Amino acid sequence: MVRVAFIHPDLGIGGAERLVVDAGLALKSRGHEVQFFTSHHDKSHCFEETRNGSLQVTAAGDWLPRHCFGYLYAFWAYIRMIYVSFYLVFFSSWRMDVVFCDQVSVCIPVLKLSKARIVFYCHFPDLLLTQRKSFLKKMYRAPLDWLEEITTGMADIVLVNSNFTAETFVSTFTSLRSNRPRVLYPSLNFLSFDTPVAEEETKDLIPPTAKAVFLSINRYERKKNLNLALEALDWLRNIISDKEWKDVHLVMAGGYDERVVENKEHFLELCKLAEQYNLSSKVTFVRSFSDAQKLTFLNHCTCLIYTPSHEHFGIVPIEAMYMKRPVIAVNSGGPLETIQNGVTGFLCNPDAESFALAMQKFLKNPSLRSTLGDAGKQNVIKKFSFDVFAQHLHNIVCCLYLLEFDAYPLD
C-alpha cells in the first residue's frame, strides 16, 4: 500500500479533473491510500466522487485571487498551487509516499522538499495554450514558460495523455528530450455509464419530435471551436430534404462556470450565432449538466459531434463510443488515436462542409448508428478500460515507491 497525494488547481468539472478523479479511484481500487489537495472545491460544481466521500478532498488557499482585474490568470494559478504545496508539505498531517501533480508544474520544487516521489501528468504544455500578441504579454509569459520547462523536468516521471501530446512535449521542451514522457491514456469507469437514469432526470431534455439528434459536449471555450457545430448544422440544412430537416436537432451541452468570464461570453456568442443562422428552434443549449443528464444525451443522440482541432486527447469521444454512439471529429490530435475512421466514426477536416457531409450519412443510412456504435464500444473496452488504466497506474506508483523500474513494466 502506497500513500498517494493528488494536487490539482481547481477540482471542478472538466477532462483534466475527470482524469485525476479516475486516477484516485483507480489507485484506491488497488489498495492504495489516496487524498486530494486543491485550491478550490465547490461541491455544487464538481464530480460526484469528490462530494460523496469516495475521495477525501482538502482545499487550501481559496482566499487567494484568481486574477487581477481580468489579467494574470497564469501567475495566480502558479501562486495558488505553490500555496497548496506548502500546505501539503509543511502544515497537513498527511504523509505521502508519492505525489500525483498535474497541469501546474511550478509547485514541484516545493513538493521535492518532502521525501515523496513526484509524478507529473502533462495534459498539454501550458505555454502552448495562450497567445502572445503583445510585447507585454511576451514579457509576462517568458519567465512563466521558463519555469514550466525547468520544473517539469524535476518530476521523477512525466506522463502524458496521448502520443500526440508526447510528440508535442518533446518538440516544445527541448531541454527535456532525454526524458521522453510515457503515455497513460485516460480511461472510463464503465460502472458509472452502466447506471440506469432516473426518469425525472431525463424529462424535456430531448425534443420528442427529433429523430436525428446530434450532440456536442465540451466546455464553453473558444478554443473548442463550438462554432463549427452550428456552421455544420446550417450547411446540413442546405444539402438534405425538408422532410429530413424536420427530424434534425442539435444539443450543445457545455461545461460552464459562472466564475469564468470566457464561459459566459462564449455561451452568449453561440446563442447569437444560432439566431444569426436562424437555428434557434433546432438547437438546445445546456450549461453545467449533471452526470444523469449527460447519460440521457448520449442515450438519445444519433452521434457525437466533436469540434476541437489538435485536441490533446478528448475523453468525451471515449464516453460516446462506450455508449455505442459514433463520433464525428476533426482529423487531428487525440481523436486520431481513439477514433477509427469509417469504423467507429468519421474523421473530418475542420470545416462545416466536411462535418455536414458526415452528419448526412446518418440521415441517409440510419443503421450506421448501431454498426459504428457497436464497433466503438468494443474499441473502448479493449483500449481504455478502467482496469487497464488502474493496472498501469498501479505499476507506476509501485515503481516510484520501490525505485525498481525493471520490476513493473510501465508500457
Side-chain angles (χ1 to χ4, degrees):
M1 187 272 289
V2 180
R3 293 165 61 88
V4 184
F6 282 80
I7 179 168
H8 185 79
D10 183 339
L11 210 55
I13 296 177
E17 289 71 35
R18 185 68 259 173
L19 182 137
V20 295
V21 167
D22 285 343
L25 295 171
L27 290 177
K28 284 193 69 176
S29 74
R30 293 300 189 270
H32 302 294
E33 197 170 343
V34 171
Q35 186 158 340
F36 278 75
F37 295 83
T38 181
S39 63
H40 180 79
H41 182 230
D42 181 356
K43 291 188 176 181
S44 66
H45 185 75
C46 65
F47 288 110
E48 179 64 24
E49 296 91 340
T50 69
R51 179 172 52 233
N52 63 15
S54 298
L55 297 170
Q56 296 299 313
V57 178
T58 299
D62 205 10
W63 54 271
L64 288 165
R66 288 169 48 85
H67 58 84
C68 290
F69 303 105
Y71 297 96
L72 305 180
Y73 280 95
F75 171 79
W76 283 111
Y78 282 23
I79 294 299
R80 289 165 70 94
M81 279 289 275
I82 290 172
Y83 183 93
V84 175
S85 300
F86 267 106
Y87 174 85
L88 171 61
V89 174
F90 296 108
F91 298 103
S92 76
S93 59
W94 182 260
R95 292 296 172 260
M96 61 281 181
D97 304 305
V98 173
V99 179
F100 187 107
C101 173
D102 75 313
Q103 288 195 321
V104 178
S105 63
V106 73
C107 62
I108 292 177
V110 178
L111 298 173
K112 296 286 282 188
L113 297 175
S114 70
K115 296 181 179 180
R117 298 291 172 176
I118 312 298
V119 178
F120 182 69
Y121 198 99
C122 178
H123 302 277
F124 206 71
D126 183 63
L127 64 88
L128 299 180
L129 299 178
T130 184
Q131 296 181 337
R132 298 160 175 78
K133 294 181 179 180
S134 68
F135 176 75
L136 285 177
K137 184 64 175 289
K138 292 177 181 177
M139 293 294 292
Y140 161 65
R141 285 296 316 194
L144 300 183
D145 296 343
W146 177 80
L147 276 174
E148 181 184 6
E149 183 164 353
I150 294 298
T151 55
T152 297
M154 297 175 67
D156 293 289
I157 186 171
V158 177
L159 305 175
V160 291
N161 52 19
S162 65
N163 287 305
F164 170 72
T165 301
E167 295 299 330
T168 305
F169 180 99
V170 171
S171 62
T172 302
F173 298 133
T174 56
S175 67
L176 305 180
R177 285 179 177 172
S178 61
N179 301 324
R180 185 178 179 86
R182 296 175 183 266
V183 176
L184 177 66
Y185 284 127
S187 76
L188 285 190
N189 187 343
F190 296 158
L191 292 177
S192 64
F193 286 83
D194 294 333
T195 304
V197 180
E199 189 66 28
E200 59 269 17
E201 292 283 353
T202 66
K203 187 178 180 181
D204 299 328
L205 291 178
I206 304 292
T209 58
K211 297 179 181 179
V213 178
F214 298 100
L215 171 65
S216 168
I217 298 180
N218 240 311
R219 292 191 302 276
Y220 284 108
E221 295 177 355
R222 296 180 183 94
K223 67 181 180 182
K224 299 300 184 181
N225 198 21
L226 297 174
N227 291 28
L228 177 56
L230 294 173
E231 293 164 0
L233 184 65
D234 181 54
W235 191 287
L236 179 67
R237 171 171 50 188
N238 297 318
I239 61 174
I240 62 175
S241 66
D242 292 340
K243 181 179 179 181
E244 290 172 321
W245 178 244
K246 289 180 181 179
D247 295 335
V248 173
H249 196 82
L250 172 66
V251 176
M252 300 195 70
Y256 184 92
D257 190 333
E258 285 288 348
R259 300 171 302 140
V260 180
V261 175
E262 184 183 11
N263 287 174
K264 295 189 288 186
E265 290 179 346
H266 194 45
F267 173 77
L268 294 175
E269 290 168 358
L270 292 169
C271 291
K272 290 180 180 179
L273 186 61
E275 292 178 5
Q276 178 184 327
Y277 286 142
N278 194 26
L279 292 172
S280 297
S281 63
K282 287 291 185 177
V283 183
T284 298
F285 290 98
V286 182
R287 293 172 288 179
S288 299
F289 50 88
S290 67
D291 289 340
Q293 288 173 322
K294 179 170 70 174
L295 289 177
T296 300
F297 295 142
L298 291 171
N299 272 325
H300 287 81
C301 76
T302 301
C303 76
L304 178 79
I305 306 295
Y306 198 67
T307 55
S309 293
H310 307 295
E311 185 72 345
H312 321 148
F313 177 75
I315 194 65
V316 176
I318 304 299
E319 296 173 339
M321 286 189 287
Y322 182 75
M323 297 292 291
K324 295 187 177 182
R325 296 298 175 264
V327 182
I328 300 174
V330 176
N331 56 357
S332 66
L336 291 175
E337 299 174 45
T338 59
I339 299 165
Q340 296 171 287
N341 189 38
V343 178
T344 65
F346 298 103
L347 294 169
C348 306
N349 293 327
D351 60 73
E353 180 181 7
S354 297
F355 266 67
L357 289 173
M359 294 162 72
Q360 184 186 26
K361 292 178 181 179
F362 292 97
L363 297 173
K364 298 298 183 183
N365 185 4
S367 65
L368 279 178
R369 167 176 161 170
S370 58
T371 304
L372 274 61
D374 290 342
K377 182 164 186 174
Q378 293 305 312
N379 183 49
V380 171
I381 291 173
K382 180 180 178 180
K383 296 178 61 177
F384 306 105
S385 75
F386 186 76
D387 286 341
V388 171
F389 175 77
Q391 187 59 45
H392 285 175
L393 194 55
H394 166 75
N395 291 348
I396 291 166
V397 167
C398 290
C399 285
L400 288 173
Y401 181 63
L402 299 174
L403 295 181
E404 295 180 3
F405 286 89
D406 294 332
Y408 292 89
L410 301 184
D411 299 321

